[in-house]
């Protein structure tokens, strides 16, 4: 089997994982919930704005950081958004573990066990 075929097969296997399926379900829940969509968009817009500021050489003020913490707290207070965040976190941790295993295979590094992320609902 060719390397690209194996990569494709890996992708197909990833698409069947509980983490991926729950993340996609959580994304769909956000898409269907107008308030959750607005909260996610507002938070992402704020994060992007602050990232642009930092890229332009500006430091975030204590007020900026408090605004970001407040926005995150508001987002996590919405159960649909909180589930979306938790499911996305779980999937990204799986993705990082897969990348670590690939790196270990390339470098010959001895594999180590990975911690598990908190569970998310959905699915």
């Amino acid at each position: 089997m060719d390397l690209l075929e194996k990569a494709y097969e890996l992708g197909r296997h990833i698409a069947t994982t509980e983490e991926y399926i729950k993340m996609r379900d959580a994304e769909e829940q956000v898409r269907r919930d107008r308030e959750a969509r607005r909260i996610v968009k507002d938070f992402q817009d704020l994060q992007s704005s602050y990232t642009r500021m930092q890229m332009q050489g500006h430091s975030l003020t204590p007020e900026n950081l408090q605004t970001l913490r407040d926005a995150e707290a508001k987002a996590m207070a919405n159960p649909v958004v909180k589930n979306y965040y938790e499911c996305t976190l779980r999937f990204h941790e799986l993705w990082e573990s897969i990348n670590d295993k690939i790196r270990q295979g390339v470098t010959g590094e001895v594999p180590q066990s990975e911690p598990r992320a908190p569970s998310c609902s959905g699915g």
Side-chain angles (χ1 to χ4, degrees):
M1 182 182 276
D2 159 83
L3 183 60
L4 294 178
E5 289 174 4
K6 286 183 179 184
Y8 177 80
E9 285 303 312
L10 176 59
R12 301 284 297 169
H13 287 294
I14 291 169
T16 66
T17 63
E18 178 181 355
E19 292 86 350
Y20 181 77
I21 293 166
K22 284 185 174 185
M23 182 187 68
R24 295 302 306 247
D25 288 346
E27 287 173 348
E28 183 59 30
Q29 290 173 10
V30 168
R31 272 193 290 277
R32 284 190 247 139
D33 185 312
R34 181 179 302 193
E35 178 67 10
R37 267 195 333 264
R38 186 189 60 74
I39 291 170
V40 169
K41 182 184 180 325
D42 290 350
F43 184 69
Q44 290 173 339
D45 289 348
L46 183 62
Q47 281 184 313
S48 294
S49 171
Y50 287 169
T51 298
R52 279 192 304 277
M53 284 174 55
Q54 289 178 309
M55 290 174 65
Q56 293 171 354
H58 303 285
S59 296
L60 295 182
T61 66
E63 292 81 16
N64 295 141
L65 295 173
Q66 186 60 49
T67 299
L68 191 58
R69 281 191 294 272
D70 291 346
E72 182 178 22
K74 181 179 180 182
M76 292 301 111
N78 181 294
V80 174
V81 174
K82 183 176 182 184
N83 183 58
Y84 168 69
Y85 172 79
E86 290 170 351
C87 290
T88 300
L89 177 64
R90 282 282 313 252
F91 176 73
H92 284 287
E93 288 181 350
L94 171 64
W95 192 260
E96 288 177 20
S97 295
I98 291 167
N99 283 330
D100 284 344
K101 293 295 182 189
I102 292 170
R103 181 184 43 76
Q104 290 168 359
V106 170
T107 64
E109 187 178 321
V110 177
Q112 299 175 347
S113 63
E114 294 82 21
R116 298 294 295 184
S119 183
C120 66
S121 61

